[in-house]
Amino acid sequence: MEKSKHRIKKKYTSPNPLFVKWLTEWKQDAAEKGLKIQYTYGKALCSLKKYPLPLSTGKEAKMLEYFGDKICAMLDAKLLEWRKDNSSNSLSSSQSSTDTNGSSSSQSSLTSKLLATKIKPSSPRAPKNNGVQVKTVNVGRVNSVPRSLPVSKEVESNQQMDIDEIDRNTFYLFPGRFSVILCVDNCESVSGHGKSKKQFVSELQKSNVEYEVRNLHVGDFLWIAHDHSDPNKELVLDFIIERKRLDDLAHSIKDGRFREQKFRMKNCALRNPIYLVENCSGAKYLGLPESTLEQAMINTQICDGFLVKKTQGIKESVSYLTMMTKMITCKYQNLTLISGSRETVLRKSAASNTFMCFKDFNCSSLKNKSLTVKEMFAKHLMQFFGLSVDRAAAIVQHFKTPSEFLEAYDRCNSENEKIHLISSIKYGLHKKNIGPALSKTLLQYYSPS
């Protein structure tokens, strides 16, 4: 008798194993007692499992969805208790480190792949005289990662690059010789909604984060690695944020800007696009039902592959940016970063340390620049109902122009073969098939009458 085939389930490895363990225990305990809080723990657990970076304290988890003050305080108390119980363990004592509040990054003792949880103070530097407005905030007593932190062989191998990829313009940013700086679009600080802009800048100045105000052609926030000795050496790191108030989100959906902005962020060569949606309560009088706005945010996260973060106001948004700056600094500060062209960055692996120069990135992201035929074809495909950014991007990877698409149809011998041509194309992070429904829609539009 032939053995039945079973799907092999990939083992999940969390960067925050202690928090996952405790939330799971609390959820199970609440379920046994029939308490409704079990659902809150469950949602928080799902949110935590999606987060790819280690958290050093429960307080830092507040930037994640479904983590309120109570859960964060419970995690911190549990973490302190765990630390006391394991203080005699030499492995824990060698890998744990205490932040300014006395909290410990104890989760790092459970896995050798966790990043260090402390931030090295950025070296102060003089503002540039190129017309760019600079707001430098002294990082002060923000904790630092020891320079002697060992780099794993896996990270070392990821830093290597094929000789074909190197050209005369390539430069390197070495650990300890660059700072991670938050770049804020000048529209977020100087134009429109005067009181709101002033409050945002005021909160950002209090946040203990080094930032600069610049003219960004895509997104509202991004992070650069800036060389201490050469102001022209700046690399754009793999995170970009578009900030939307709820009323602005509603207006952008109605006038079509929402789809266009998602397309431009998806096409900007940065791997981690984020939508920061502000003031998520009280969605009345916005011209669209609250359910429509919720569905738009869900589609953006599930279908388009964006991370969607909801906040209740400016203070919470700035807090999120502060936490992200710490995490990104932690992620990159002990790596050697390499400059590369847009084409090199687009075809790099997720573990590569190759990034675009800021000038090249900003020039390639101009809103009114001349679009290629491939880009125009993608924008055209996105006009079809249900055809998301990820699906359009997958299709144009196979057929770069409409003529290539039509020629592929002509080579098919039957209608089923034409449907399979598109339905079998995989898209998104999970590599799902586009499916026959959209394929039939495209066939109906492109097939000769």
Side-chain angles (χ1 to χ4, degrees):
M1 184 177 178
E2 188 179 349
K3 293 182 179 180
S4 59
K5 295 181 179 179
H6 296 281
R7 180 180 294 177
I8 300 174
K9 190 174 181 181
K10 187 176 179 181
K11 190 175 179 180
Y12 169 74
T13 304
S14 170
N16 300 285
L18 286 176
F19 288 177
V20 170
K21 177 177 179 291
W22 295 331
L23 280 169
T24 303
E25 290 174 353
W26 295 339
K27 178 188 173 185
Q28 292 173 348
D29 185 57
E32 290 174 0
K33 296 177 180 178
L35 302 177
K36 291 184 178 180
I37 199 172
Q38 62 175 296
Y39 303 112
T40 303
Y41 291 142
K43 291 176 181 178
L45 187 61
C46 290
S47 178
L48 178 64
K49 287 181 178 180
K50 293 177 184 177
Y51 191 66
L53 298 176
L55 299 166
S56 61
T57 65
K59 186 178 179 181
E60 284 189 359
K62 192 176 180 181
M63 64 180 174
L64 303 180
E65 198 170 10
Y66 304 113
F67 278 82
D69 292 333
K70 184 177 179 180
I71 291 182
C72 292
M74 289 170 65
L75 288 173
D76 274 332
K78 195 75 174 175
L79 195 59
L80 185 61
E81 180 184 340
W82 186 93
R83 186 186 169 213
K84 288 179 180 178
D85 293 342
N86 292 271
S87 59
S88 59
N89 187 316
S90 60
L91 178 62
S92 297
S93 61
S94 65
Q95 291 189 350
S96 297
S97 53
T98 307
D99 64 13
T100 52
N101 295 320
S103 298
S104 168
S105 57
S106 305
Q107 298 193 73
S108 61
S109 64
L110 295 187
T111 171
S112 61
K113 291 186 178 180
L114 292 188
L115 299 171
T117 58
K118 297 187 177 180
I119 310 302
K120 179 167 70 69
S122 302
S123 300
R125 57 189 180 86
K128 295 181 285 184
N129 297 322
N130 58 358
V132 177
Q133 183 181 357
V134 179
K135 294 286 185 181
T136 305
V137 181
N138 185 14
V139 179
R141 295 188 178 181
V142 180
N143 299 319
S144 61
V145 176
R147 290 191 182 184
S148 59
L149 185 70
V151 179
S152 67
K153 291 182 179 179
E154 181 183 357
V155 172
E156 235 171 33
S157 64
N158 289 337
Q159 294 176 13
Q160 295 179 356
M161 171 177 209
D162 293 336
I163 192 69
D164 296 336
E165 303 260 337
I166 301 176
D167 59 34
R168 68 181 68 180
N169 297 319
T170 297
F171 61 84
Y172 298 81
L173 299 183
F174 297 101
R177 300 183 184 178
F178 65 86
S179 302
V180 174
I181 300 171
L182 170 66
C183 287
V184 181
D185 184 30
N186 54 14
C187 290
E188 288 296 302
S189 58
V190 297
S191 64
H193 302 279
K195 290 183 179 180
S196 175
K197 301 295 181 184
K198 288 180 181 178
Q199 184 183 356
F200 188 88
V201 172
S202 176
E203 291 296 329
L204 201 55
Q205 288 172 342
K206 298 175 186 176
S207 66
N208 221 21
V209 169
E210 186 178 8
Y211 74 94
E212 290 184 1
V213 177
R214 299 191 181 189
N215 181 25
L216 303 180
H217 294 149
V218 60
D220 294 319
F221 308 97
L222 54 81
W223 286 263
I224 61 170
H226 179 92
D227 190 276
H228 292 160
S229 58
D230 189 345
N232 294 317
K233 292 182 178 180
E234 296 179 327
L235 298 180
V236 181
L237 302 177
D238 259 340
F239 294 83
I240 184 168
I241 293 180
E242 177 76 22
R243 175 182 171 228
K244 290 281 187 191
R245 294 186 322 279
L246 208 58
D247 56 343
D248 188 28
L249 175 63
H251 293 149
S252 66
I253 292 173
K254 288 190 288 185
D255 63 20
R257 285 183 294 118
F258 186 53
R259 289 170 66 87
E260 182 189 2
Q261 286 171 341
K262 286 195 293 185
F263 173 78
R264 295 181 65 234
M265 286 183 69
K266 198 75 176 179
N267 199 43
C268 74
L270 302 187
R271 290 182 174 273
N272 300 287
I274 301 170
Y275 253 93
L276 181 62
V277 183
E278 207 169 87
N279 299 326
C280 289
S281 60
K284 298 179 180 179
Y285 313 115
L286 297 177
L288 286 176
E290 187 172 356
S291 59
T292 301
L293 298 177
E294 285 291 337
Q295 189 62 54
M297 287 185 276
I298 291 171
N299 290 345
T300 299
Q301 182 156 330
I302 302 300
C303 301
D304 298 324
F306 286 64
L307 173 65
V308 177
K309 170 64 180 175
K310 303 176 185 178
T311 66
Q312 296 302 322
I314 290 175
K315 287 187 178 181
E316 194 172 332
S317 295
V318 172
S319 176
Y320 179 71
L321 291 172
T322 303
M323 292 292 186
M324 284 295 297
T325 303
K326 290 174 63 179
M327 294 296 180
I328 292 169
T329 302
C330 207
K331 179 179 175 68
Y332 293 111
Q333 66 179 356
N334 292 302
L335 303 179
T336 298
L337 310 183
I338 309 166
S339 68
S341 64
R342 177 182 171 86
E343 291 70 26
T344 301
V345 171
L346 284 171
R347 65 174 180 264
K348 75 177 183 178
S349 66
S352 173
N353 297 326
T354 308
F355 304 94
M356 289 178 66
C357 298
F358 177 78
K359 289 181 180 178
D360 294 341
F361 170 82
N362 229 20
C363 288
S364 68
S365 304
L366 278 169
K367 186 174 183 179
N368 296 323
K369 69 169 185 171
S370 298
L371 297 178
T372 64
V373 177
K374 180 180 177 180
E375 290 169 338
M376 284 298 297
F377 185 34
K379 292 187 73 173
H380 164 72
L381 289 171
M382 286 169 56
Q383 304 309 307
F384 289 95
F385 179 77
L387 217 160
S388 63
V389 176
D390 269 3
R391 291 183 174 96
I395 292 173
V396 298
Q397 286 300 317
H398 286 75
F399 312 105
K400 295 180 174 58
T401 65
S403 61
E404 284 188 20
F405 189 31
L406 292 173
E407 288 169 4
Y409 268 151
D410 290 338
R411 291 193 293 270
C412 295
N413 298 319
S414 65
E415 184 172 332
N416 285 337
E417 192 175 341
K418 290 180 180 179
I419 293 172
H420 184 72
L421 187 69
I422 299 299
S423 65
S424 60
I425 293 177
K426 299 187 181 300
Y427 73 95
L429 296 174
H430 303 292
K431 299 301 178 184
K432 295 181 179 179
N433 291 336
I434 288 179
L438 277 173
S439 184
K440 289 177 182 178
T441 301
L442 293 177
L443 177 60
Q444 185 178 5
Y445 182 84
Y446 282 100
S447 61
S449 55

